Amino acid sequence: MLSQDQQQHNWKPIVREFEAIVGKNNVIQRREELIVYECDGLTSYRQRPAVVVLPRTTEQVAAIVKICNKYCVPFIARGSGTGLSGGALPVVNSVLIVTSLMRKILKVDLENQRVIVQPGVINSWVTQAVSGAGFYYAPDPSSQIICSIGGNVAENSGGVHCLKYGVTTNHVLGLKIVTPDGSVVDLGGEISETPGYDLTGVFVGSEGTLGIATEITLRILKAAESVCVLLADFTSIEAAGASVSDIISAGIIPGGMEIMDNLSINAVEDVTALNVYPRDAAAILLIEIDGLEVEVAANKQRVVEICKQNGARNVTSASDPEQRLKLWKGRKAAFAAAGYLSPDYYVQDGVIPRTQLPYVLREIEALSQKYGYRIANVFHAGDGNLHPLILYDNSVAGALEKVEELGGEILKLCVKVGGSISGEHGIGADKKCYMSEMFTAADLETMQWVRQVFNPKGLANPEKIFPTLRTCGETAKAMSEVKKKFAGMEKVELF
Ligand SMILES: Cc1cc2nc3c(=O)[nH]c(=O)nc-3n(C[C@H](O)[C@H](O)[C@H](O)COP(=O)(O)OP(=O)(O)OC[C@H]3O[C@@H](n4cnc5c(N)ncnc54)[C@H](O)[C@@H]3O)c2cc1C
């Protein structure tokens, strides 16, 4: 946490120095313009930054970060602001470094299956740039038409196709980053194996606390010869969950496997009018099978059998690209459609072992009844990544606190069955209180050492990921034990 005196700044000279680097137009300081940047997709947390700066190059980012260091002001990177855990939430008196003018695809190297991009490039643009030659970029968050590659790297984002092909970290070969003191460093490279510590791996998923990525080398894949999408229609969500487990146990790894429950199905149909999902199903399972034609045909038959054995009323299939797109379009619109179900919703993002799906879904339903809030379920079922959407009305006094408590119960349930408090949305400001549910004080301390090495002044995205005294009573107790243990050693900033 920054001290009171670090928070007191005369912003005039700082702004003048920023303007000298990026030009007056790319420094935002007017109150009404700053409102746009006061939150990300987690809209229940808001804090206006003091200044927003929009650089275009690595050199400009480095110069801005150096100025932040000179004046000891915190800075936060922001891509498209679609994060759902408050990762790009500004702190008091901070500078927001926004990458939305850094949107160049710098190099396309089809022969070596890699692309180099600036961080503000939108996820779906990468596939658009290479699809004509039969390639694509695999990680596909449902927000892919708006979220940035820089944000994806920072959150280690997942998506529908990450079950088979892996999440962002499996597709980042190298990074150019500006470290929190303003140095420019290359991590990894253009080939898949580099000797020494895997610092690319350390940086991916670090949520902007270890510096700002300014160039990203991505791996692209050759599109599969054959693809088909199945839609299985169930009368219980547990049966859909059991099918997921059985499909994987049968040795089949679909390209994607997603569940939507009745609330989500109807919200999507109301909003998109796609007319592709059965409105009376308790749940649907969307399964994409890809590969060689013979392989797809064989796996398709086996998957249909498994779904039927688990009580599927109907299983339809789409091989035509337009029809497949339509089936996925509804799934990808599910979060947005939830906005029509209630004035507000709070998205959770936990992971559980697949075999626990039926049990956990029942428990979530019980929690929904106990707290009296409806929960829509739409999730990456194949990798056990749940997204319960808790529907509420923020204008009702005390509702947010109750909903956050309910969200916390769901996360604790995930940990209890051997899962995780985040699958892909990151910890950010939202879930730092629950880090101690998963990690011991010594685990957290080890992570803090890493952060301390990259970010010794704590200026890069402070107050994120790690529990703090101010926000987490029970965690504070555990952390003070660690502090005692390390007393007398070189100073480590724990909080
Ligand atoms: C409708 C909807 C659907 C979604 N679906 C998915 C999904 O399927 N899978 C999934 O994983 N996520 C999903 N998300 C969450 C979100 O889109 C992802 O976390 C995404 O990666 C955030 O990208 P962004 O550009 O919006 O980042 P921001 O929200 O701007 O920032 C996210 C974090 O990245 C840091 N950051 C941004 N740029 C950089 C950089 N250049 N260098 C270092 N740090 C940086 C920020 O400081 C912050 O901590 C969804 C969100 C919405 C609103």
Side-chain angles (χ1 to χ4, degrees), residues 76-84 87-88 99 119 141-143 147-148 150-152 154-155 157-158 207-208 211-213 335 380 424-425 461:
I76 295 110
R78 174 175 162 124
S80 302
T82 67
L84 292 168
T99 62
S142 302
S143 51
C147 65
S148 73
N152 293 175
E155 301 288 9
S157 294
E207 303 190 26
I212 301 181
F335 281 15
H380 308 310
E424 54 183 21
H425 296 168
N461 211 2

Side-chain angles (χ1 to χ4, degrees), residues 65-220:
V65 168
K66 281 191 175 140
I67 295 166
C68 291
N69 270 266
K70 180 172 147 192
Y71 292 95
C72 207
V73 290
F75 58 88
I76 295 110
R78 174 175 162 124
S80 302
T82 67
L84 292 168
S85 57
L89 177 76
V91 295
V92 175
N93 278 316
S94 61
V95 174
L96 205 61
I97 303 176
V98 180
T99 62
S100 53
L101 296 181
M102 301 179 77
R103 287 191 168 164
K104 283 193 189 135
I105 295 184
L106 300 169
K107 184 175 168 188
V108 175
D109 178 358
L110 294 177
E111 282 188 338
N112 292 299
Q113 295 195 207
R114 61 197 177 206
V115 171
I116 304 179
V117 301
Q118 283 193 305
V121 164
I122 301 301
N123 173 298
S124 61
W125 295 2
V126 181
T127 292
Q128 278 164 24
V130 296
S131 60
F135 291 89
Y136 74 109
Y137 175 61
D140 56 345
S142 302
S143 51
Q144 71 183 133
I145 57 167
I146 175 75
C147 65
S148 73
I149 293 291
N152 293 175
V153 166
E155 301 288 9
N156 192 15
S157 294
V160 165
H161 289 95
C162 294
L163 167 62
K164 184 168 182 179
Y165 296 100
V167 291
T168 301
T169 194
N170 303 108
H171 301 271
V172 177
L173 294 168
L175 295 162
K176 190 179 284 300
I177 66 161
V178 171
T179 61
D181 68 352
S183 311
V184 177
V185 176
D186 287 298
L187 310 178
E190 294 194 15
I191 50 172
S192 53
E193 292 301 327
T194 48
Y197 294 124
D198 176 14
L199 295 180
T200 314
V202 171
F203 192 91
V204 177
S206 62
E207 303 190 26
T209 61
L210 304 185
I212 301 181
T214 57
E215 279 182 26
I216 302 148
T217 305
L218 299 171
R219 182 202 313 278
I220 49 167

